[in-house]
Every structure is written in structure tokens, then in C-alpha cells.
Amino acid sequence: MWKRVSRFIRAVGVPAGLGLLGAVLAGGAPVSAEPAQSLPFAALTGGAAGGEDGREAANRVAMLSNGYDALLLRVHLIRQARKSIDVQTFIWTNDEVGRLIIHELLAAAQRGVQVRIIADHLFSDQDPEIVAFLATADPHFELKHYRPAMSRLKPSRLQLLMAGLISFRGVNQRMHNKIMLFDDAVLVTGGRNIENTYFDHSTGLNYRDRDVVAIGPVARTAAASFDEFWNYRHAVPSRELADVAGVIARGGFRRYEQRSDYDFGGLFEGLDREADDEALIAARFGKRLRPVERAEFIADVPGKRGGFFSKAARITRELSDVLGQARARVTIQTPYLVLSGAAQKLIGELQTKHPGLVFRVSTNSFASTDNLPAYSANYRLRGDYIEKLGLQVHEFKPQPALRPELFPQFELMAARAKHQRGEGSAGPFLSLHAKSLVVDDRIAFVGSYNLDPRSENLNCEAGLLVEDAAFAQELRAEIDRDMRPENSWVIARRSLPLRLDVVNALIDGVLSLSPLDLWPVQNTSSFELKAGAAEVPPGHPDFHQNYRDVGSFPGADQGLSLKEITTRLYKAVGTPLTPVL
């Protein structure tokens, strides 16, 4: 989530007309548009609108793990919507994917669909000329910005500093929600923002991410949450921002009237055709939608004030309650593993109460991370994670063995990287961005929530909580695969002689709590499975025989790189920054 810290430092009923969409996703034949009362929920679920007792139909849910597919489904759903499209995003970037989504949303508005977008102000692109165009493009297209600093789309560094001095929390409290809602009937939510990197279309960093698509009553809960944010006093329309209003008043800004004006770089010809292929959409998405026992959309209220016991920090409370139900196994996937004191206490209490409870965590490695400050905090604290809390931590490789499955666009993006930057230049790689939780193969969560103090206390978050054994087991299997030795390094205790580990753990543990952490030696390191050896968990008697120590920063450049120096520097002096990471 906090991938642009450096930038900050530098600066359900089915509506009329949705029958085709419902039939395609359900894998059936198209249904003609009829009045809303004659279009039953069965158009989406393939069954009756309710049982004999009159209860609502179940929610149907499917995971979206492939970035290309996640983009394809979004474009298809935009084209099929007939009444409304609501979008919340933390990042909206003016790149090829960003322009494609804008083009498709404007086309929907021009055919009469009411389009509403809320973008977090701080980390989305800030071009007053482009936003002036969007603010005046069509009466059905509305754009708001969450917590803009000094009532400007593009505040100067001085204005941003002044805003921070006036209200440090106001600048830091961001809207991290990611949802797309179509006709209040189909919901897509998860970890993806709107940018090339989230949809397998970047020549450098690409995210291994995850969304869910949900059809059913849960979509209406998401619609109510969106309305809360839309009506929030700090969600400001584009026209009310001083610099955007100035551009509109002057006129003469560029307008994007034709598809060719958007400069897609030749990326989307195949996707453009596939998005209108009803049979393909039904086979790739509709057949994967399955009823679940229970699904609940959960979101923080606007202006979140955090803490484990805060009523405003709803997701933190909900997820801590879910963790409290764990008895055998907790599986977590998070880009940033920065546990607050409250989170560490909760995990410790659970393990004391339920001996044998296993916590497995998939997170980024030094080589794959997009956020050095957050990784450095993880690096500083991971001795506590391994030795005190007993977490089994697996750090994702930038070029995992399952890359062909996760990133089918790799060869295309590698060729573009070579064309743009020349032979020998760095090509595409993967960085983990999925945020998911599975408890006892029974309860699952997919959303925007990172395991860090910022998601816990500051940022508004959203996601889907699912109680269903089949869905939970499918999600756990996917995360377990990411943690396999060919895809991740495992963090474990070093084998140190002369009981130096005891002395080292004492010094390292004390210094990890202080503002300065200059101790250079850690008890933990990254390990890789030896060829032909059996996979065993850390702590197993054969672990050090079967695994080789590959150092603290595997995948790094040879020698002492600037990235490693920066990581060690943040580890040494970054403790005071931890609450906002």
C-alpha cells in the first residue's frame, strides 16, 4: 500500500438492463432487458431469487488472482452496466491501464450510466488539466477526491507542509479502499488500485495481487459504504478544488474525445475483443462463481480513528475477532509485515491459550518489496516474530517458479522493457501486494488491509469476509503455493555457535524497542531448500541440514548496494516512523 512513501516525503435485486451481465456471469444464455420487477435474482445466480421460506439468494463469490483477468473482468462489467458504476481507489495513475479505465467509464457515462469515482488525493496523479476535462466531460460522470490538501489537486510542497502542520493526522489519514460496484449488484474488491502494475502491464514492478468478485446481497452493503464516503465532508468534487476550478474558468484545456486520444500503446487489442466475448467471460468467470455460506462486506467509516477498541476502526476489530476464533492454523498474506504492540500481544495471547496454533505468513522479501521503510521495520522486528511469537514467515521471490501462471504477460512486458530500455536492462519482476487471511480453513478475508499500523489505525480499509470452508481452503491453498520453497525464502533462526544466539537475542530484543537500533547481527536469516532435500518447517530437527542460509538480503545485487544501505539505515533510526508505516 505505502509504495509511494518517497513521494510523500519528497513532497440485491438486479436492476433493469442487467440481464445480459447476470446471464453471462452465471454461464447461461443472455436475458433480455425487462422491467426490474420481472428480472429475478436468478439472472445472476442461476437459481431462484429466494428459497421457499422467502429468504434472499446466497452470495456467489470467486477469486481474481491473475492481473490480466482482473482487468478483463472490469472492462466487461463496465461495458455491461446499465444504471450505475461506483469506484473507490487509493491510487489512480495516468498510464495505459489508468487511461483505459477512464475511457471505458466515460463511454458508460455517455450512454447514461451514472459514474461516481472517489480517488484518494495524495497518491493519485495530480494533473489539474486532465481533471478539468473529467469534471466537464459528461453530466453522468462525477469525480471526488479524498482529503485534498489545501483545497488543491496539486498542492505545492510548501502547501503540503502547511497542511501537515495544521493537521498532521488529516494529511496522514487516507482512503485505502478499493472497490468497483456495478448496478449495485456486482462487487469487485481486494488489493488492486488502478495502474499498470496491478494488472500485469508494467515493464518493471508488477504486483502479485488478489481481488474477489461477488454477486448478491453483499453488493448492496458495499453500495451503502460507498455512499458514506461519497457524502463525507472531506470527499471534495473536482470543480471545488482551486487549481482545477482555475483551469475550467480559463478554458482551452485538452479534451479527449476519441479512443485514439488516450494512447494505449497498442496494449489492449486482444483484451478489447475478449471483453465483449460472452462465452469467454462465462467460461473464465461465471463458472467459477460459487455460492458461499456467508459473505459480509466490511469497511471502515470515513475519517477512521484507529486502535483495536475504536468503533471507527471496524476492520481492525472484525479481523481481531476473527483471529480470536483460531484454534489450529492461521494463514496470512500481506505485503508489509509490521506488527504493532497490540497485534503482537493478540497473537501471543492466542498461542498461549491454544498451544500448537500455527501462524504462517507470506510477505515480501528484500528483493521483491516496493516499500523499503516498511520492509526495514519488518527486518528490525522479525527476531521477535520468529523467536517470541513463533511465526513461520516466508518472503516472496521476485522471480518465483510459478511466474508463468501468475504473470502470463511476462514475455510481452519483457520484450517491451528491452525495446524501451535496451539489452541488459532490468525487466519485469513480481512484488507481493495481496492482502488475505484464512482461519482454520473456515473463515477467509480478501481486501485492502495490510498487517501494519497504518491499516490498523490510520487508513480506511475495505474487504470481503467469507465464512465458507470451500472458499477458505481454496484461498489457503493459493497462499500455501506462494510460500513453497521455489517461490519464497523462509525466515528462520541461524545456527550460531557458543550460544551466541542467546546473547544476541537479548541485545537485539532490547534495541528493537529503542529509537536507535544499531546492532548489526540478527539471529534470523533467509533460507533456501537444498536440491533434493525434504521440505520441513523451521524448528524441525532436520531444518539446518535441509536448508542453506542465503543471508539477510537474498536476491540483492552483488556487494553493498544503496538499497541495502538504506534498509539498514531505516532499521537503525526508523523506530519512531513505525506507527505511520
Side-chain angles (χ1 to χ4, degrees):
M1 178 287 294
W2 201 236
K3 77 174 201 175
R4 302 190 183 188
V5 166
S6 58
R7 180 183 293 182
F8 175 63
I9 292 174
R10 291 192 304 265
V12 186
V14 182
L18 196 61
L20 176 61
L21 168 63
V24 168
L25 286 177
V31 179
S32 61
E34 296 178 12
Q37 62 270 20
S38 64
L39 278 172
F41 192 70
L44 294 177
T45 64
E52 292 181 359
D53 58 0
R55 291 180 299 179
E56 288 185 297
N59 294 290
R60 306 190 73 182
V61 178
M63 282 191 292
L64 299 173
S65 299
N66 176 289
Y68 180 91
D69 280 357
L71 180 61
L72 173 63
L73 182 62
R74 281 167 167 81
V75 173
H76 171 79
L77 292 172
I78 291 170
R79 292 180 181 181
Q80 291 296 321
R82 293 296 176 265
K83 186 182 76 170
S84 64
I85 302 172
D86 293 330
V87 180
Q88 272 181 286
T89 185
F90 177 64
I91 296 170
W92 198 310
T93 298
N94 182 22
D95 57 13
E96 288 86 354
V97 165
R99 291 191 291 272
L100 173 67
I101 296 295
I102 282 290
H103 169 72
E104 295 289 342
L105 290 173
L106 282 172
Q110 288 162 2
R111 67 172 186 266
V113 177
Q114 188 63 45
V115 176
R116 298 186 296 174
I117 302 168
I118 312 173
D120 187 90
H121 163 259
L122 197 57
F123 294 104
S124 293
D125 274 353
Q126 299 172 346
D127 187 329
E129 298 257 337
I130 291 176
V131 173
F133 160 69
L134 295 176
T136 58
D138 190 278
H140 294 100
F141 187 98
E142 297 179 86
L143 174 61
K144 288 188 176 184
H145 310 266
Y146 188 85
R147 286 193 179 275
M150 305 302 287
S151 297
R152 289 181 173 273
L153 179 72
K154 189 175 183 179
S156 67
R157 292 181 181 180
L158 179 58
Q159 289 168 332
L160 191 57
L161 176 61
M162 289 174 58
L165 291 174
I166 294 169
S167 176
F168 180 79
R169 187 185 176 281
V171 170
N172 271 278
Q173 197 281 305
R174 310 313 311 173
M175 184 195 73
H176 195 232
N177 309 40
K178 304 102 166 29
I179 74 166
M180 295 188 81
L181 186 63
F182 306 89
D183 289 0
D184 289 354
V186 182
L187 168 69
V188 177
T189 190
R192 289 184 173 93
N193 295 294
I194 299 176
E195 182 180 83
N196 286 351
T197 54
Y198 299 92
F199 298 98
D200 297 352
H201 279 84
S202 170
T203 58
L205 178 148
N206 287 267
Y207 287 117
R208 189 275 186 267
D209 216 327
R210 182 177 297 110
D211 295 319
V212 285
V213 55
I215 298 177
V218 71
R220 294 198 290 275
T221 308
S225 172
F226 181 90
D227 285 340
E228 277 191 279
F229 279 87
W230 186 257
N231 296 318
Y232 183 50
R233 67 185 186 279
H234 291 305
V236 182
S238 301
R239 289 176 176 270
E240 295 181 14
L241 300 177
D243 45 358
V244 176
V247 172
I248 294 174
R250 290 193 301 272
F253 51 87
R254 182 180 176 185
R255 304 195 69 85
Y256 299 80
E257 307 292 355
Q258 306 296 325
R259 183 182 175 91
S260 58
D261 295 335
Y262 287 81
D263 187 17
F264 298 142
L267 282 177
F268 305 121
E269 282 86 352
L271 185 142
D272 187 46
R273 293 189 300 271
E274 290 179 341
D276 289 331
D277 187 334
E278 297 167 16
L280 181 147
I281 297 297
R284 193 171 297 180
F285 303 107
K287 291 183 178 178
R288 289 165 46 202
L289 283 161
R290 294 288 182 270
V292 294
E293 291 182 16
R294 179 175 176 269
E296 181 183 7
F297 177 81
I298 54 177
D300 289 314
V301 298
K304 171 179 176 176
R305 291 188 176 273
F308 266 65
F309 303 104
S310 168
K311 293 182 179 180
R314 183 187 177 198
I315 289 192
T316 297
R317 290 186 293 107
E318 292 267 5
L319 295 183
S320 61
D321 288 347
V322 168
L323 277 178
Q325 300 178 43
R327 298 295 181 270
R329 174 192 291 263
V330 174
T331 304
I332 297 171
Q333 192 159 52
T334 177
Y336 319 119
L337 181 59
V338 186
L339 295 177
S340 69
Q344 292 185 49
K345 181 181 178 183
L346 174 62
I347 292 172
E349 289 174 346
L350 283 171
Q351 291 179 321
T352 299
K353 187 177 181 181
H354 305 289
L357 176 60
V358 175
F359 276 81
R360 301 191 77 213
V361 183
S362 168
T363 190
N364 270 312
S365 65
F366 173 79
S368 68
T369 188
D370 65 338
N371 182 350
L372 275 184
Y375 182 80
S376 300
N378 168 21
Y379 176 64
R380 174 172 54 83
L381 294 168
R382 74 184 188 188
D384 290 345
Y385 299 163
I386 303 303
E387 299 185 284
K388 293 182 180 178
L389 298 179
L391 304 184
Q392 296 182 17
V393 179
H394 299 256
E395 295 191 343
F396 197 60
K397 296 178 179 179
Q399 301 291 352
L402 50 62
R403 188 191 68 197
E405 181 178 346
L406 290 180
F407 189 9
Q409 296 282 98
F410 176 82
E411 296 300 335
L412 173 61
M413 292 300 112
R416 290 176 71 91
K418 186 182 298 184
H419 175 74
Q420 293 173 4
R421 299 193 288 270
E423 294 283 349
S425 61
F429 69 96
L430 286 171
S431 176
L432 188 67
H433 196 259
K435 307 100 165 26
S436 303
L437 167 71
V438 182
V439 172
D440 289 346
D441 283 352
R442 184 174 58 87
I443 307 175
F445 172 80
V446 176
S448 65
Y449 193 100
N450 296 308
L451 204 55
D452 62 17
R454 176 161 283 278
S455 285
E456 180 183 317
N457 299 309
L458 279 171
N459 286 351
C460 297
E461 307 287 357
L464 195 69
L465 189 63
V466 179
E467 294 187 32
D468 185 84
F471 181 85
Q473 290 165 22
E474 179 187 358
L475 177 55
R476 181 175 71 83
E478 190 170 283
I479 300 173
D480 281 349
R481 185 184 58 177
D482 287 350
M483 291 191 284
R484 288 192 55 78
E486 63 269 26
N487 302 316
S488 291
W489 293 289
V490 61
I491 306 302
R493 287 174 60 98
R494 284 191 169 105
S495 181
L496 296 175
L498 304 176
R499 301 298 294 168
L500 290 177
D501 56 336
V502 177
V503 177
N504 188 60
L506 177 62
I507 297 173
D508 190 39
V510 171
L511 289 180
S512 70
L513 302 175
S514 67
L516 290 177
D517 186 1
L518 301 175
W519 189 247
V521 182
Q522 287 193 310
N523 278 356
T524 59
S525 186
S526 304
F527 288 82
E528 190 167 71
L529 186 66
K530 295 176 182 177
E535 182 181 355
V536 295
H540 189 279
D542 296 334
F543 180 83
H544 288 101
Q545 176 182 328
N546 293 11
Y547 287 75
R548 65 185 182 94
D549 187 337
V550 292
S552 295
F553 304 110
D557 298 333
Q558 295 297 317
L560 189 62
S561 67
L562 177 61
K563 185 177 180 181
E564 182 176 338
I565 293 171
T566 304
T567 300
R568 292 185 182 277
L569 179 63
Y570 274 124
K571 173 186 180 290
V573 301
T575 302
L577 294 175
T578 299
V580 296
L581 290 176

